[in-house]
Amino acid sequence: MGYIYSTAVSVIIVLQGPIWNIIETAMTGESPSPCKLSELQVLEQDTWISRVWTYQELVNGADTYFTTMNPNVGTPVVQVQRFLNCVGASLNRWKKENEQGEMGVLETFPRLSILEDALGYMLMNGYLQRTALGVLSNIGLRDVDPHYPQNRLLACLGALTKEASWDASSGDLAEIADKLMKICEARNDYSFIYTSDERSDERGRRWRPSTMPKERSTQKDMRKPNPLMPIINWYTWTPHPGLLGATQNGHLDEQGLWLDNMVRLQSDKSVDQKAIKELEVYLFGETDPENPYHVLIRVFKPDMAASLHWTDALLKFLRKIGFTGCRTPLICDWGLFYPQIDIQALDEVEVFATSSIFWKFGHPGLARWKEDGVTKYCAGVYAGLLKQEAESVLML
């Protein structure tokens, strides 16, 4: 379906009932008007916003519109970007009026948060210029029919490649996940490495997420696995125009795969105060000295800083956006590294963060160690600054 949307002259999304009425009202005038709280609450309940397949409609279509089948209003249309800009403006106004941060949006309007994220990714990345991690992160937040868990990865394929997606009933999750990784490898996009999966046992490819689920002993564990879930579900960004579409690149030689633009993190007893200040500003906000009425982006309410230590706030935020790994971080000189599994007691642990993929607060990363002479890997979240020079790292 991704290919169909990308080659269509126009993509028209049909809405019904109060949803269309809200969109039409918000779109009147030269610029979109922010929605009222009651209207945001109605939009939040609409299932179209968070369905896994609608991501392709939003980001693949070159010219996308909303319309309605209501015969009483004719056949009006609204350009999708105008509406999504309206959603962003509405959420920003709600945050200012209620002195809320990103956590407030995630708790009150989780579906609209997904929609706003899709808009940002649509504006910054053209079709087939997207990173695997960026697509996985947005689609990972969306609703999937539990009887067809394959739909999540099939939707990712539709957003990443022009190949026709398979039918939901064809192929198992492991097969589809492996197909997606191979497509990304052919494009020199290794950002799929930064997922919560266990790693392959294949020699020379132990860095690669495993597509083979391990045996499950309990009834709860008998549920179908969910491969290629990103280490966190949060939007990536690029600080410089030249990095548009930047991802985790690598190169192959006779020794194997080298990941490019990796920074080796240095362990320490404490985090540098400059890095702590940067993280505290991101978490609790700071008033812009040139415009005291404009508050920079923040995660929590400002008054939370008095009752919530920045490390506790950071972990709470990471858990909210999908981090399921170890709650005890490795302390580095310029930040904290949260690995997917507990590696505190292991020997010869190396930790790396990529300098080519950015979150506002840090970067995805990898940890590497040895067990009984065998090299092991897991992904992780690095919250902090990068001060060391980037290098290419051989994936053993």
Side-chain angles (χ1 to χ4, degrees), residues 235-252:
Y235 59 89
T236 58
W237 70 293
T238 54
H240 307 293
L243 289 176
L244 185 63
T247 186
Q248 179 61 69
N249 297 132
H251 64 273
L252 293 165

Side-chain angles (χ1 to χ4, degrees), residues 110-290:
R111 287 175 171 170
L112 292 179
S113 177
I114 296 172
L115 193 65
E116 187 181 28
D117 183 15
L119 167 64
Y121 212 62
M122 177 180 69
L123 295 177
M124 291 183 62
N125 299 274
Y127 185 52
L128 302 185
Q129 293 179 329
R130 305 177 190 115
T131 67
L133 183 61
V135 172
L136 288 167
S137 294
N138 190 273
I139 290 183
L141 292 166
R142 293 171 174 270
D143 298 331
V144 182
D145 186 335
H147 296 99
Y148 297 100
Q150 302 96 324
N151 284 355
R152 182 179 63 87
L153 293 182
L154 290 172
C156 290
L157 285 173
L160 289 168
T161 176
K162 287 189 174 182
E163 288 190 30
S165 297
W166 299 341
D167 180 82
S169 62
S170 63
D172 59 17
L173 279 167
E175 188 177 357
I176 301 172
D178 190 61
K179 176 184 176 69
L180 190 151
M181 288 190 287
K182 286 179 178 177
I183 288 173
C184 292
E185 288 168 342
R187 295 170 51 190
N188 197 19
D189 174 10
Y190 289 90
S191 62
F192 62 81
I193 287 177
Y194 303 116
T195 61
S196 59
D197 303 85
E198 296 181 2
R199 303 290 133 165
S200 170
D201 291 329
E202 184 180 353
R203 183 175 180 180
R205 292 165 65 85
R206 294 191 174 100
W207 49 269
R208 199 174 192 261
S210 174
T211 58
M212 300 302 296
K214 294 195 173 182
E215 293 184 4
R216 290 163 168 74
S217 57
T218 67
Q219 185 65 34
K220 180 179 179 181
D221 289 338
M222 290 304 291
R223 294 176 299 180
K224 293 183 179 179
N226 209 359
L228 296 186
M229 286 299 296
I231 195 73
I232 58 172
N233 295 303
W234 201 238
Y235 59 89
T236 58
W237 70 293
T238 54
H240 307 293
L243 289 176
L244 185 63
T247 186
Q248 179 61 69
N249 297 132
H251 64 273
L252 293 165
D253 64 13
E254 64 279 358
Q255 298 182 72
L257 171 68
W258 295 76
L259 287 185
D260 299 328
N261 302 314
M262 302 296 289
V263 174
R264 189 181 298 268
L265 304 178
Q266 305 297 322
S267 62
D268 208 329
K269 294 182 179 179
S270 61
V271 180
D272 186 272
Q273 286 299 314
K274 183 178 179 180
I276 293 177
K277 178 61 177 176
E278 292 270 350
L279 290 169
E280 286 180 333
V281 168
Y282 180 76
L283 291 168
F284 303 113
E286 181 179 69
T287 302
D288 186 344
E290 296 183 1

Side-chain angles (χ1 to χ4, degrees), residues 190-191 193-194 199 207 247-251 257-266 337 350-358 363-368 377-380 382 385-395:
Y190 289 90
S191 62
I193 287 177
Y194 303 116
R199 303 290 133 165
W207 49 269
T247 186
Q248 179 61 69
N249 297 132
H251 64 273
L257 171 68
W258 295 76
L259 287 185
D260 299 328
N261 302 314
M262 302 296 289
V263 174
R264 189 181 298 268
L265 304 178
Q266 305 297 322
F337 181 84
E350 299 176 281
V351 184
F352 306 90
T354 177
S355 64
S356 58
I357 301 177
F358 295 76
H363 307 258
L366 283 176
R368 178 167 70 188
Y377 290 90
C378 77
Y382 175 65
L385 306 177
L386 295 181
K387 292 294 184 179
Q388 293 82 9
E389 290 293 323
E391 58 182 305
S392 293
V393 176
L394 177 62
M395 296 288 99

Side-chain angles (χ1 to χ4, degrees), residues 49-123:
I49 289 175
S50 62
R51 287 187 63 244
V52 69
W53 292 115
T54 58
Y55 181 80
Q56 298 174 87
E57 299 176 32
L58 289 174
V59 302
N60 286 357
D63 198 17
T64 305
Y65 298 88
F66 288 115
T67 190
T68 182
M69 296 293 289
N70 188 339
N72 297 322
V73 296
T75 56
V77 294
V78 169
Q79 208 277 336
V80 67
Q81 187 171 322
R82 278 175 57 85
F83 170 61
L84 296 180
N85 282 333
C86 174
V87 170
S90 302
L91 291 175
N92 284 334
R93 187 177 72 172
W94 178 83
K95 285 189 288 187
K96 289 180 180 179
E97 290 179 347
N98 295 275
E99 295 187 345
Q100 290 282 353
E102 296 301 314
M103 282 290 284
V105 175
L106 290 170
E107 292 171 350
T108 310
F109 303 109
R111 287 175 171 170
L112 292 179
S113 177
I114 296 172
L115 193 65
E116 187 181 28
D117 183 15
L119 167 64
Y121 212 62
M122 177 180 69
L123 295 177

Side-chain angles (χ1 to χ4, degrees), residues 22-73:
I22 291 171
I23 293 175
E24 185 181 36
T25 301
M27 294 303 99
T28 57
E30 294 184 3
S31 60
S33 302
C35 298
K36 302 174 184 177
L37 173 60
S38 59
E39 294 173 333
L40 286 176
Q41 292 170 335
V42 172
L43 289 172
E44 174 65 26
Q45 298 305 312
D46 187 68
T47 57
W48 177 88
I49 289 175
S50 62
R51 287 187 63 244
V52 69
W53 292 115
T54 58
Y55 181 80
Q56 298 174 87
E57 299 176 32
L58 289 174
V59 302
N60 286 357
D63 198 17
T64 305
Y65 298 88
F66 288 115
T67 190
T68 182
M69 296 293 289
N70 188 339
N72 297 322
V73 296

